[in-house]
Amino acid sequence: MMTERNYHMSLDLTLSVINGKWKSLILCHLGSHSMRNGEFLRKIPDISQKVLTQQLNELVNDKIVQKITFPGLPLHVEYSLTDEGKSLRKVLIDMSVWGEHHADKLNADGQNVSFSSDNYRGYTKIQTPKKEVDQRMAE
């Protein structure tokens, strides 16, 4: 049975796909290669197994991530981006760059905005140089 989902606008669908405390970080880590469950837990030490599984399943259901199960013992499962997930990375790059520029403006206004990691470039392993990304943001 197909579930009907109605959104106010297409941006709402995009935001619903990436909404989740850890999804952007999961997608960033998948930017360069497929990963196994244990790798996620090592790279994102604050995430619980339950939340990791839940967010990966949501990304799989939204066709952003694919889950590949390899036969044999022990069970071997890897996650990687689908073509749809790779196209979403371009959106996430633009959002990351926008966030950096916005933080600069807020900091210039006396607010204290910082990031625990400045490596949004996990998304840019699609061969997009920072200069080119910055140029797109200036347009």
Side-chain angles (χ1 to χ4, degrees):
M1 180 175 144
M2 297 294 288
T3 304
E4 182 177 331
R5 296 190 282 180
N6 188 2
Y7 299 93
H8 292 288
M9 55 192 298
S10 55
L11 176 60
D12 294 335
L13 173 59
T14 305
L15 293 174
S16 77
V17 169
I18 61 174
N19 184 35
K21 182 174 181 178
W22 303 106
K23 284 184 184 178
S24 60
L25 198 51
I26 290 169
L27 293 170
C28 182
H29 284 305
L30 286 175
S32 58
H33 64 282
S34 62
M35 292 181 64
R36 296 173 71 170
N37 185 77
E39 290 177 272
F40 283 115
L41 293 173
R42 281 190 296 281
K43 297 229 182 225
I44 313 171
D46 293 336
I47 194 170
S48 70
Q49 178 64 63
K50 178 184 176 189
V51 172
L52 174 62
T53 300
Q54 176 187 8
Q55 297 212 338
L56 282 168
N57 285 338
E58 289 172 7
L59 289 165
V60 168
N61 288 336
D62 284 330
K63 312 289 189 225
I64 303 303
V65 169
Q66 63 183 342
K67 178 180 178 178
I68 304 166
T69 304
F70 295 90
L73 292 173
L75 185 62
H76 179 156
V77 176
E78 289 186 4
Y79 296 90
S80 62
L81 294 176
T82 62
D83 288 340
E84 197 74 5
K86 291 174 186 172
S87 71
L88 177 60
R89 287 176 58 229
K90 295 173 186 174
V91 172
L92 295 172
I93 291 167
D94 287 342
M95 290 175 68
S96 296
V97 172
W98 184 90
E100 285 187 359
H101 288 280
H102 190 59
D104 290 343
K105 289 179 182 180
L106 294 173
N107 285 328
D109 284 343
Q111 297 185 37
N112 186 14
V113 177
S114 64
F115 305 103
S116 59
S117 171
D118 63 355
N119 185 19
Y120 75 82
R121 290 168 200 26
Y123 293 121
T124 61
K125 299 225 188 223
I126 56 171
Q127 317 312 319
T128 305
K130 182 181 186 318
K131 182 178 176 183
E132 182 181 320
V133 173
D134 288 342
Q135 280 179 327
R136 284 197 328 226
M137 290 305 296
E139 295 173 352

